[in-house]
């Protein structure tokens, strides 16, 4: 399986358009050692010809252009066989609306995430202009299913969605109805030919047994690296909400993500969905050194992993 990082930042990207935090300012002015990042999305393929995107970021057009294997091979064509959503956050879904140029697309999502995106969304009509413009394939919790090329072609990949602690997207937080285990899932992707496994956990609000098991069973883990500390937005002077309020378990602390990931050696562990305030973005920061010393990597746009 080939894994290509198209975007490694959290919602807003790095730098973020309206952010003058130390990181964003330093990046613009060239005074910090750091690289710009687009919003989180990853492409995976077992055959180098058919690709599946994990999330559809608002920067999807630039992300497709950034990676030649995603370019059309004919006058009307895409090597993108499907798009998988791990939750309904706009930084994961908004890109779908950009794929409106009359091309059929296939989206894998839980029923809850599909409804959150489609119901009452007048803009979604742009993806309903002809029958089967969008084919939704439901992700059923805990059930492995093949990722298909077209109707029934074998892509060599299979996915299992597992419920992980998280929350509904911001725009649905005040809506009626129950929260659901389908609101936020991890995506476990298995190469059916060589048996290698990727655990894609880009939004994790807490450490749970399912998270633990997903990490333990994978050859490579992409993990939520949004915040270094709980009160990072506040101490950066850009917001009030804590990491936990936003359902992003912080990296630091005795029980933080880093100490958990440190206890799972023998596999590649990569942080993704990194918020622009996070000090690990600065390549010479103490926090970055702590990540590296834990044997954990920081995703960057263009990173590739072969499994
Ligand atoms: C998140 O990752 O918590 C969301 O992307 C926040 C948001 O929707 O702005
Ligand atoms: Mn996000
Ligand atoms: Zn910033």
């Amino acid at each position: 399986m080939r894994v290509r990082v198209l975007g490694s930042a959290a919602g807003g990207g790095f730098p973020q358009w309206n952010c003058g935090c130390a990181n964003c300012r330093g990046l613009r002015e060239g005074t910090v050692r750091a690289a710009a990042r687009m919003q989180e999305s990853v492409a995976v393929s077992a055959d180098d010809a058919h690709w599946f995107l994990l999330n559809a970021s608002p920067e999807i057009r630039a992300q497709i252009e950034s990676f030649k294997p995603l370019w059309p091979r004919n006058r009307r064509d895409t090597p993108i066989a499907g798009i998988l959503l791990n939750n309904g956050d706009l930084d994961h879904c908004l890109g779908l609306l950009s794929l409106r140029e009359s091309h059929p697309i296939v989206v894998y999502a839980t029923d809850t995430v599909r409804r959150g995106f489609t119901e009452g969304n007048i803009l979604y009509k742009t993806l309903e202009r002809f029958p089967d413009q969008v084919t939704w394939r439901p992700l059923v919790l805990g059930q492995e299913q093949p990722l298909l090329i077209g109707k029934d072609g074998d892509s060599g990949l299979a996915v299992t969605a597992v419920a992980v602690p998280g929350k509904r997207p911001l725009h649905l937080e005040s809506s009626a109805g129950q929260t659901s285990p389908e609101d936020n899932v991890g995506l476990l992707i298995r190469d059916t030919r060589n048996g290698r496994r990727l655990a894609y956990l880009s939004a994790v609000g807490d450490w749970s047994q399912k998270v633990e098991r997903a990490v333990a069973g994978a050859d490579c883990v992409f993990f939520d690296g949004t915040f270094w500390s709980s009160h990072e937005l506040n101490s950066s002077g850009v917001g009030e909400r804590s990491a936990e309020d936003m359902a992003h378990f912080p990296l630091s602390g005795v029980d933080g993500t880093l100490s958990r990931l440190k206890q799972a050696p023998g596999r590649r562990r990569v942080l993704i969905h990194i918020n622009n305030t996070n000090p690990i973005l600065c390549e010479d920061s103490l926090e970055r050194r702590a990540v590296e010393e834990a044997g954990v990597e920081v995703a960057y746009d263009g990173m590739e992993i072969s499994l």
Side-chain angles (χ1 to χ4, degrees), residues 76-96:
R76 276 287 188 269
D77 174 63
T78 178
I80 300 170
I83 299 171
L84 287 70
L85 305 177
N86 80 291
N87 63 28
D89 289 348
L90 284 188
D91 54 341
H92 291 165
C93 300
L94 212 45
L96 294 177

Side-chain angles (χ1 to χ4, degrees), residues 66-83:
S66 75
F67 186 46
K68 192 171 175 184
L70 299 180
W71 297 357
R73 299 146 299 189
N74 293 303
R75 290 194 191 187
R76 276 287 188 269
D77 174 63
T78 178
I80 300 170
I83 299 171

Side-chain angles (χ1 to χ4, degrees), residues 261-281:
L261 289 178
K262 214 192 286 193
Q263 292 159 29
R267 55 187 59 74
R268 284 189 80 166
R269 291 149 291 165
V270 184
L271 300 175
I272 195 162
H273 189 275
I274 305 157
N275 199 57
N276 55 73
T277 49
N278 193 329
I280 67 170
L281 288 169

